[in-house]
Amino acid sequence: MREDESVAKRDEAAVARYVERFAGELTDAGMQRMGARVFAALLAADSASMTSAELAESLRISPAAVSSAIGYLTQVRMVHREREPGSRRDRYRLHDELWYETYGERDKLLGRFEAILRDGAQSLGPDTPAGVRALESAEFFAFLQEEFVGVMQRWRARTPK
């Protein structure tokens, strides 16, 4: 059997529906629409990477839309650029341990939220309704951080490296 025969054939129409469905869920959860579509396309690619031209063709979007989406995904650290050897073309690749890395970054955000909310509680007056609300919010983010550490440790223990 030739190597290319051993690779399972994919129903490209079903893959396109999956990409759009997952992108829709990500968009509903607050992600930028084109970023969600590009991310879902990369997730669906066996190599977890594509060029700008491949993304534009696959998603039927403009190169400018790809560029904007990649900028967003790079900023939120879900994707990184790499140069194709011997080429001037960039490939866009999902990070290894994608969800672990992405949510690990969110942990830092929780800490920043907590700090600014604690500062805000002092500025608003800790005994005012707004100050109490800010302090309660800070406590919530502190709780999430504490719990998140355990979740990440349990995930690390559960998955092989």
Side-chain angles (χ1 to χ4, degrees):
M1 179 185 308
R2 291 187 353 218
E3 183 179 344
D4 58 300
E5 291 175 352
S6 67
V7 177
K9 300 284 185 198
R10 291 175 17 148
D11 177 346
E12 293 304 321
V15 171
R17 286 190 304 272
Y18 158 73
V19 165
E20 294 303 327
R21 182 174 170 219
F22 188 49
E25 291 296 326
L26 292 170
T27 301
D28 288 348
M31 185 182 270
Q32 177 200 64
R33 183 172 182 271
M34 279 302 151
R37 292 183 72 211
V38 167
F39 175 78
L42 289 169
L43 192 63
D46 286 337
S47 65
S49 74
M50 297 172 85
T51 65
S52 179
E54 290 168 338
L55 286 162
E57 180 182 344
S58 171
L59 297 170
R60 296 184 177 121
I61 59 176
S62 71
V66 172
S67 179
S68 176
I70 290 296
Y72 166 77
L73 292 169
T74 302
Q75 181 181 5
V76 296
R77 296 192 170 123
M78 295 179 83
V79 169
H80 66 274
R81 294 175 204 257
E82 58 186 35
R83 185 66 51 138
E84 284 188 335
S87 170
R88 290 190 291 172
R89 293 186 343 175
D90 287 328
R91 290 193 74 77
Y92 304 104
R93 178 175 298 283
L94 298 177
H95 289 289
D96 294 333
E97 298 185 316
L98 169 69
W99 297 110
Y100 184 88
E101 294 297 324
T102 299
Y103 277 89
E105 289 296 318
R106 298 305 184 264
D107 182 44
K108 295 174 188 172
L109 183 63
L110 297 176
R112 292 195 314 258
F113 284 176
E114 178 193 357
I116 198 157
L117 285 162
R118 287 192 190 285
D119 288 347
Q122 291 305 308
S123 298
L124 297 165
D127 296 326
T128 67
V132 168
R133 195 168 40 251
L135 190 55
E136 182 179 300
S137 296
E139 291 297 326
F140 174 76
F141 286 112
F143 171 78
L144 284 180
Q145 282 181 279
E146 291 167 14
E147 292 299 310
F148 195 69
V149 169
V151 167
M152 296 300 271
Q153 288 171 345
R154 287 190 301 280
W155 175 253
R156 216 10 126 200
R158 179 180 178 166
T159 60
K161 299 213 182 201

